[in-house]
Amino acid sequence: MYQEERIYKILEILKTKKTMTNQEIMDQFHISRDTARRDIVRLVSENLAVRTHGYYFK
C-alpha cells in the first residue's frame, strides 16, 4: 500500500475513533515503526493531525 492510501485510511479512522497510537497504526497496516513515523510526520506537517504524548488526533 502506498503512503497516500495509508494517509487517507488513517484520516478515515481518526474521523470515527478520534485517536490512534503509533502501535495501532503499525498493527492496522502491517508496517514498520519507521514507516508509521513517516506517515505521522506527514500528517502533522500538513496539519491533518496533532501529535501528543504518543497519540495522534484529528
Side-chain angles (χ1 to χ4, degrees), residues 36-53:
R37 184 184 169 284
R38 283 190 294 271
D39 290 352
I40 293 160
V41 166
R42 182 165 174 196
L43 285 165
V44 171
S45 70
E46 294 180 9
N47 293 320
L48 297 171
V50 176
R51 185 179 197 172
T52 178
H53 303 291

Side-chain angles (χ1 to χ4, degrees), residues 22-35:
N22 192 40
Q23 187 65 50
E24 289 172 330
I25 292 171
M26 291 167 48
D27 294 343
Q28 176 76 31
F29 299 103
H30 308 287
I31 57 175
S32 70
R33 183 176 310 275
D34 289 337
T35 300

